[in-house]
Amino acid sequence: MVAAILRPLKQQLLSFTTTDFSSHLFFFTGNCLWSPMERFSTKSGIDKNKALVAQLQQYGIIRSKKVAEIMETIDRGSFVADGTPAYIDSPMQIGYNATISAPHMHAMCLELLEENLQPGMRALDVGSGTGYLTACFALMVGPQGRTVGVEHIPELVTSSIENIKKSAAASFMEDGSLSIHVSDGRLGWSEYAPYDAIHVGAAAPEIPQPLVDQLKPGGRMVIPVGNVFQDLKVVDKSLDGSVTVRTETSVRYVPLTSRDAQLQGR
Ligand code: SAH
């Protein structure tokens, strides 16, 4: 009986891994593994965060010990408004027609970029939103590394800086190895280029050339590409400068667009 219940839940979760829903309709329809637990749990935030990471490990979404450690350390609860269910595997609205990505998408991107987020390396997070993944990157590259977030909604930049200051990545903000800037992320951030790792948290109609240019030889970019149908692309620049692109999976992200278009919901 229990197995019969668990099997569909597992299938449901696995199918969820391929899609980063831009609305949290799934939570409200109850189509989520964690919503009943979340409602009745008396665990503290950090314990719930650990339980979330453990579930992602159990379902094979997190395989790397390092990624698990980082996601356990950066408490997702510090990156969403009070009262938002932070510890369920679902994207959540953060205002301005933007969302914090679902934990399984954060995990997948961290796994894809792990080799390029070694201590001392440089990371760029385009469409940094809540700052959650930017904080994870900072923890991975450490104080000798450099992490840059670029986000075009000034209010989100302000709140992301506050979020990070509440998180285990606060010291990187203080020592200046992590910074977040208000800018059009389609242009990248040339000040600290080239980057070992570039993550784009919003779907581009096509891969922006400035981002390819700002990728270091040996570097990797993970970027959702497409409009209605989107693919998570893995862009690798080899040491001779040649670029290869492959598709990891189908996804659904909010668009990488102009500020006006985003605010008008276009
Ligand atoms: N990884 C983030 C994702 C936020 S959603 C998180 O989990 O919190 C995508 C973000 O991309 C939004 O915050 C949106 O405002 C931002 N965005 C969209 N187009 C952009 C652009 N051209 N330049 C910078 N940020 C952009």
Side-chain angles (χ1 to χ4, degrees):
M1 177 65 183
V2 172
I5 293 168
L6 278 179
R7 206 171 308 115
L9 278 174
K10 185 170 178 182
Q11 278 158 3
Q12 184 182 305
L13 179 69
L14 289 176
S15 65
F16 212 21
T17 65
T18 58
T19 306
D20 189 21
F21 297 99
S22 59
S23 81
H24 51 228
L25 196 65
F26 269 66
F27 171 67
F28 287 115
T29 56
N31 190 7
C32 178
L33 190 55
W34 288 288
S35 50
M37 262 169 51
E38 170 89 10
R39 227 170 288 146
F40 300 114
S41 173
T42 53
K43 283 191 205 159
S44 73
I46 200 76
D47 286 343
K48 287 185 196 172
N49 197 60
K50 278 193 174 160
L52 170 61
V53 172
Q55 294 277 14
L56 293 171
Q57 285 179 295
Q58 193 183 328
Y59 287 107
I61 295 158
I62 299 180
R63 291 178 301 278
S64 149
K65 254 184 87 177
K66 182 76 190 169
V67 168
E69 197 185 296
I70 296 291
M71 288 186 69
E72 276 180 0
T73 309
I74 301 293
D75 181 359
R76 190 174 166 85
S78 303
F79 290 81
V80 294
D82 287 348
T84 306
Y87 307 106
I88 59 173
D89 192 22
S90 173
M92 293 288 156
Q93 307 287 354
I94 56 171
Y96 312 96
N97 290 326
T99 56
I100 180 170
S101 297
H104 69 264
M105 286 310 307
H106 284 151
M108 189 183 288
C109 292
L110 284 167
E111 294 246 341
L112 287 168
L113 289 169
E114 185 178 4
E115 292 297 303
N116 296 78
L117 292 169
Q118 297 298 312
M121 288 186 168
R122 293 181 172 213
L124 173 65
D125 187 19
V126 172
S128 46
T130 59
Y132 174 85
L133 214 48
T134 331
C136 292
F137 291 166
L139 225 59
M140 290 188 80
V141 302
Q144 308 307 323
R146 156 69 54 184
T147 306
V148 184
V150 178
E151 166 59 54
H152 66 170
I153 305 288
E155 292 87 346
L156 288 179
V157 170
T158 304
S159 57
S160 67
I161 291 170
E162 284 162 12
N163 297 340
I164 291 170
K165 285 185 177 162
K166 285 184 284 174
S167 81
S171 63
F172 302 102
M173 198 103 230
E174 280 149 28
D175 72 20
S177 62
L178 191 179
S179 54
I180 303 198
H181 308 270
V182 181
S183 185
D184 186 341
R186 294 171 291 190
L187 305 174
W189 191 261
S190 57
E191 186 181 0
Y192 301 112
Y195 298 96
D196 299 277
I198 299 180
H199 168 262
V200 183
E206 51 198 45
I207 300 172
Q209 190 58 39
L211 298 183
V212 178
D213 296 343
Q214 289 176 25
L215 199 56
K216 199 186 226 175
R220 170 172 281 190
M221 167 161 55
V222 174
I223 176 170
V225 179
N227 296 306
V228 180
F229 298 102
Q230 303 167 2
D231 289 322
L232 190 67
K233 300 280 186 189
V234 177
V235 180
D236 285 308
K237 189 181 268 188
S238 65
L239 291 176
D240 67 10
S242 60
V243 172
T244 56
V245 182
R246 71 170 173 83
T247 297
E248 177 69 15
T249 184
S250 300
V251 288
R252 177 123 189 252
Y253 280 73
V254 299
L256 186 74
T257 185
S258 71
R259 191 187 303 162
D260 283 351
Q262 181 174 324
L263 293 176
Q264 287 161 27
R266 281 193 271 131

